Each structure stands twice: as structure tokens, then as C-alpha cells.
Amino acid sequence: MTESALTENPAADTDAADGADSTVDPELRGRALDGILLLLPRVLKRELPEVTENACLFDEVGLTSAATLELILELEDHLDVQIDVEGIDQDDLRSVGTLAGFVAGHVIAED
């Protein structure tokens, strides 16, 4: 394998690290990201400094386990979707972006 073949898609490794997933609808992920940023101050009941997609939800933003559940419920209402949270783990909650990616990839289809 040539070196150019190895570096053909340098963004592939960074996509996984920032919560982007090729099976996730980018439009829904963007809406989820916007919703999270909008809802965080309401859920945490305080104003927040500018929060970025890469902000760590627990260490930087101050999210708690209880607030995480409230955020997901608020996000379901905001996006008018149902989110399958059965498979959520700590990596999915690492940052605002990883949570947005999880949400976009785990919407339960309506029958």
C-alpha cells in the first residue's frame, strides 16, 4: 500500500473522534447540535459562556447524570423525535458533538 493510499482521507480519523459518523444524517446532527446548545442553559438553570461542539459536557459545561436525562428529554421535545438511549455510553457523552452524533444516529423511526 502506498503512502498516498494511507493518507487519502485524513478526515476519517477525526470524524470518529468528534462524534461525526458516516451513518448519521448530517442535517439531523446539525439540528441536534443546535438544540443541545440552546437547551443546555435551560437544563442547567444558568447562563453559560460560549459552548462549542468540542466542549466536554461534564468537565467544562458542568452536566450531571440527572441533567443529562433532562437534556435528552428536552431534546426529544425540541426535535419532535424519540431517541433510543439503550446503547448510550460515556463516549457518547464526552462532548456536545458526540452527543449530537449519538442523538442523530439513535432516533426511533415512527411507524
Side-chain angles (χ1 to χ4, degrees):
M1 190 180 280
T2 66
E3 184 176 329
S4 63
L6 292 173
T7 59
E8 188 173 311
N9 187 2
D13 292 334
T14 58
D15 285 351
D18 69 7
D21 182 338
S22 61
T23 62
V24 170
D25 175 4
E27 189 271 335
L28 180 56
R29 184 181 184 281
R31 288 179 41 226
L33 183 62
D34 291 344
I36 292 166
L37 294 173
L38 175 75
L39 295 168
L40 274 171
R42 182 187 319 169
V43 168
L44 294 173
K45 297 172 181 52
R46 62 183 167 84
E47 288 298 313
L48 296 173
E50 186 175 332
V51 177
T52 67
E53 183 173 344
N54 295 322
C56 179
L57 286 169
F58 292 96
D59 295 339
E60 292 177 48
V61 179
L63 203 65
T64 63
S65 297
T68 301
L69 179 58
E70 185 179 347
L71 177 61
I72 290 172
L73 292 172
E74 291 276 344
L75 199 52
E76 286 180 325
D77 286 344
H78 179 76
L79 297 173
D80 196 26
V81 298
Q82 187 174 1
I83 302 164
D84 179 8
V85 294
E86 287 292 317
I88 198 167
D89 63 27
Q90 286 219 290
D91 283 342
D92 299 317
L93 299 170
R94 186 176 63 245
S95 71
V96 174
T98 58
L99 179 57
F102 175 85
V103 168
H106 291 83
V107 170
I108 297 172
E110 294 183 17
D111 294 330

